[in-house]
Amino acid sequence: MQAESLPEDIRSLSVADRIALVTAIWDTIAGESPPPLTDEQRREIDHRLAAKQLDGSPGETWRDVRARLLDQR
């Protein structure tokens, strides 16, 4: 959905009110069961888990990932 296609009453809300609206919508989605994985998604997850087990490294911490992403901005 493009921003331009949102109803005017939503577009005219303040940023704080739009964030609150998005949060409320997200909460209704998060409360539902996720859609089932496709076979392709399941294979990819299995592939990544197997690769991770072979690698043996602990991976990156959220702090490191977050810092790297913020540096890219």
Side-chain angles (χ1 to χ4, degrees):
M1 174 178 273
Q2 300 293 325
E4 302 81 33
S5 66
L6 289 172
E8 178 58 34
D9 55 337
I10 292 176
R11 287 186 286 147
S12 66
L13 293 172
S14 68
V15 171
D17 286 341
R18 283 182 280 150
I19 291 171
L21 177 61
V22 168
T23 301
I25 291 170
W26 181 253
D27 288 346
T28 66
I29 294 168
E32 296 181 16
S33 297
L37 296 175
T38 65
D39 289 341
E40 183 179 355
Q41 289 169 326
R42 190 170 308 283
R43 281 191 301 274
E44 181 64 22
I45 289 171
D46 290 343
H47 170 76
R48 290 183 186 199
L49 286 173
K52 175 70 180 109
Q53 289 171 344
L54 288 174
D55 178 1
S57 73
E60 294 183 77
T61 65
W62 168 240
R63 172 179 264 157
D64 292 341
V65 171
R66 184 175 186 271
R68 186 178 73 246
L69 292 173
L70 291 174
D71 286 345
Q72 291 175 1
R73 293 173 62 191

